[in-house]
Amino acid sequence: QVVRAAEDTANRYGYNLILCNTDDDAKKERLYIEVLKEKCVDGIIFTSSIKPNSKNINMLLDYKIPFVFLDRCISADDAFVICTDGIQGMYDVVSYLIEMGHERIAFISGPKESSTAFGRYRGYVKAIKKSGIQVDKKLIVEGDYKIDGGKKAMEELLKRKTSFTAVACANDLMAIGAIEVLRKNNINIPEEISVTGFDDIVLSSVLQPKLTTVSQPCYEMGYEATKMLINLIEGKMLKVNNLVLKPKLVIRDSVSTRR
């Protein structure tokens, strides 16, 4: 939806879109920046899955290519950013788990070098602490935002033999991986373990059970990032350089009541 919005908006204003997938690889990211410079692109929407690499950002600055960070909440005065409030989104879903009676809530985070992962981790900790529950580091496992990462993280949680009744995952793909491992271990969802995700991808609404998650306004993000970039390219004044969009809790069937 993000890419569709970017393409729709770019075409509307007479621009074409070139899509580059870096596979979370800083070297590949750097290579693509060089390729895009050679292609004399007008601007770049930059949505690296890793922590923004200062060398790569400096390359963009040296090349004087206008760029906008998408879904990366960067705290820099001169950065142009479009993102969703990951802290609030994760806070909302973990608070919902607590309202449903869960106190032992595990957390599968994104990669520690990712700014979005850090925000979602902060939201988890904020909700746990506000409820008066102590944060248990044994219940926190790092993932990689992929299905296999969710599988490995859930296997690690089960191996630790630390009791929990719910697991909040930093994205839907890891939630899918976690659910697969729970089922292989004959653990019923949500009767024995409740599972939540983040992103509200299409698969989350067709899983069994349907996944409770946090929805990001993906199309709006793509539109706003592209419009901001076009304004930069065309030298127009921007009212804001940092736009944080609100997420929405989507309640489905993957959470049970524990009271």
Side-chain angles (χ1 to χ4, degrees):
Q1 290 183 56
V2 171
V3 175
R4 167 58 65 188
E7 185 172 47
D8 289 348
T9 309
N11 288 345
R12 193 181 309 150
Y13 288 91
Y15 294 87
N16 295 314
L17 195 70
I18 299 172
L19 183 63
C20 302
N21 184 357
T22 66
D23 296 316
D24 302 352
D25 186 330
K27 290 182 180 178
K28 195 173 180 182
E29 186 176 274
R30 197 151 47 244
L31 173 64
Y32 274 135
I33 292 171
E34 292 174 353
V35 169
L36 293 173
K37 176 185 179 289
E38 291 173 5
K39 295 290 183 182
C40 297
V41 296
D42 295 293
I44 294 175
I45 298 173
F46 196 66
T47 179
S48 170
S49 293
I50 59 171
K51 185 177 181 180
N53 187 291
S54 59
K55 290 182 179 178
N56 295 351
I57 295 171
N58 286 335
M59 282 177 66
L60 289 171
L61 293 170
D62 290 343
Y63 293 158
K64 301 189 184 307
I65 302 174
F67 67 97
V68 171
F69 285 112
L70 175 62
D71 198 27
R72 297 294 174 263
C73 291
I74 312 300
S75 57
D77 293 336
D78 55 350
F80 296 91
V81 181
I82 304 288
C83 66
T84 301
D85 191 341
I87 298 174
Q88 186 63 49
M90 188 56 69
Y91 174 84
D92 289 345
V93 74
V94 174
S95 295
Y96 170 69
L97 287 170
I98 294 167
E99 288 171 13
M100 295 294 284
H102 295 274
E103 294 186 356
R104 299 286 296 171
I105 303 170
F107 181 60
I108 298 178
S109 76
K112 61 185 178 183
E113 65 271 19
S114 164
S115 60
T116 55
F118 181 63
R120 293 173 193 183
Y121 168 77
R122 286 177 61 193
Y124 165 80
V125 171
K126 180 181 177 182
I128 294 292
K129 286 185 173 180
K130 188 170 182 180
S131 69
I133 302 171
Q134 189 169 356
V135 175
D136 186 347
K137 291 185 178 179
K138 291 180 181 178
L139 293 177
I140 301 172
V141 181
E142 183 182 348
D144 61 2
Y145 282 149
K146 299 175 183 176
I147 291 176
D148 282 345
K151 290 181 184 178
K152 291 175 183 176
M154 180 52 70
E155 287 168 353
E156 174 62 27
L157 280 170
L158 295 176
K159 193 184 300 181
R160 292 179 183 180
K161 299 188 182 301
T162 302
S163 65
F164 58 95
T165 63
V167 56
C169 302
N171 80 340
D172 291 343
L173 290 178
M174 292 194 297
I176 292 168
I179 287 170
E180 186 174 332
V181 170
L182 289 170
R183 283 186 173 145
K184 282 183 179 178
N185 284 272
N186 298 313
I187 297 172
N188 294 321
I189 306 155
E191 293 82 5
E192 294 178 85
I193 301 289
S194 294
V195 181
T196 64
F198 199 112
D199 286 337
D200 195 25
I201 62 174
V202 174
L203 281 175
S204 65
S205 63
V206 297
L207 282 174
Q208 290 300 323
K210 294 179 180 178
L211 187 65
T212 292
T213 186
V214 176
S215 176
Q216 299 195 79
C218 294
Y219 196 91
E220 185 181 357
M221 288 170 64
Y223 167 79
E224 293 290 354
T226 310
K227 191 68 171 67
M228 180 180 281
L229 181 61
I230 290 170
N231 284 337
L232 285 173
I233 291 167
E234 296 180 353
K236 296 178 181 177
M237 293 292 293
L238 299 179
K239 293 181 180 178
V240 294
N241 67 343
N242 192 324
L243 182 59
V244 181
L245 304 175
K246 291 183 179 181
K248 180 183 178 183
L249 177 63
V250 180
I251 297 172
R252 295 196 179 105
D253 307 324
S254 61
V255 175
S256 64
T257 305
R258 283 291 182 110
R259 288 191 175 92

